[in-house]
Amino acid sequence: MSALLLALWPLFALIVAGHLLRRSDFPGEAFWPGAERLNYFLLFPALLLSSLARAPLDNPALPRLALAVLLALGLGWLGLLALRRLRGWPAARFGALVQGTLRFNTYLGLATVGSLYGQAGLTLAALLLALLVPAVNVLSVWALSAERGISARGLLLPIARNPLILACLGGVLLNLTGLGLPAGTERLLGLLAAASLPLGLLCVGAALRPQELRGEGPTLLGNSLARLLLMPLLAFAVARALALPSLESTLLMLFFALPTAPSAYTLSRQLGGDGHLMAGIITLQTLLAALSLPLLLGGLG
């Protein structure tokens, strides 16, 4: 457990630092939106592209891992649909709760994997993201648009333009064609990727809104328990049922135990979701994950 805490505390320290920097107005309010865009459109895609271009796509466990991802997501989605029918949630609220339960913080996830499992873990995690990112985005957009309806074009176009999904597709294409990363491009992408996770964690902290924790206590706590406890237990059951190897099982559980993504707030605002609830979910889950992740990973160890 001590080795685990040594690996994880710097990650949460960066999140806290990002929050304190924004509160102190350093280096200025205009910095953070630009930093988020730089990371989202350039630095983080470079990390995914370089990881997938070198990924061992002949890993015999990959089909089972893909099935495990889809099963865990599908079961979680069916549970949310049943709750919506029971509780009568409007789309604005349902969309926030879906994102709080199914979306995940990619920066914290890959930073954790890199700290604990090195390049082999990062490569496998990039393959997980290639499946999770498009699936979770489709479900999130659908949930937020459920009441007014949405066309297939309106549902899929944002997915097709997503730089993370495009980077995943590009990395897999380079891998399958055997082109790889020639003529120094691996070094270039490596330099860009090295800046992604620290900057991403700082931006996670800058996006926290503690003032949004008021007024929705039971809902915030229930959604956080669903994300940080029930979803990893579901992933564990699926991994056991499919007899996944140890590393694949651990990474599957880890990605289903991560707090939700800060970008969920932006999507909620764009599609008419409950921004107050979404901001509270993001903040509480990120704070609680500082306790839940070490406990979960320590139990796996």
Side-chain angles (χ1 to χ4, degrees), residues 192-220:
L192 293 171
S196 174
L197 296 179
L199 182 61
L201 293 174
L202 288 172
C203 290
V204 168
L208 297 182
R209 294 174 172 84
Q211 70 274 13
E212 302 290 356
L213 294 175
R214 303 187 190 99
E216 290 271 14
T219 301
L220 294 177

Side-chain angles (χ1 to χ4, degrees), residues 75-94:
L75 290 171
W77 173 247
L78 290 175
L80 287 162
L81 287 176
L83 282 173
R84 185 194 182 208
R85 183 164 187 168
L86 181 67
R87 303 294 295 274
W89 292 323
R93 193 169 185 81
F94 180 55

Side-chain angles (χ1 to χ4, degrees), residues 59 61 65 113 116-125 128 239 244-255 300:
N59 183 337
L65 180 60
V113 170
L116 295 175
Y117 306 109
Q119 186 57 51
L122 280 175
T123 299
L124 196 56
L128 270 172
L244 286 178
S246 176
L247 181 57
E248 284 80 354
S249 296
T250 300
L251 294 188
L252 181 72
M253 284 188 64
L254 169 61
F255 273 89
L300 290 176

Side-chain angles (χ1 to χ4, degrees), residues 237-293:
V238 169
R240 288 290 298 271
L242 295 178
L244 286 178
S246 176
L247 181 57
E248 284 80 354
S249 296
T250 300
L251 294 188
L252 181 72
M253 284 188 64
L254 169 61
F255 273 89
F256 279 89
L258 293 168
T260 192
S263 57
Y265 177 77
T266 303
L267 186 63
S268 291
R269 293 290 298 273
Q270 288 175 344
L271 297 180
D274 189 332
H276 168 67
L277 177 59
M278 193 72 255
I281 288 172
I282 293 165
T283 300
L284 184 59
Q285 286 191 15
T286 304
L287 295 174
L288 291 178
L291 298 175
S292 64
L293 275 181

Side-chain angles (χ1 to χ4, degrees), residues 31 58-59 116 139 180 199 225:
F31 170 80
D58 57 349
N59 183 337
L116 295 175
L139 294 177
L199 182 61
L225 289 175

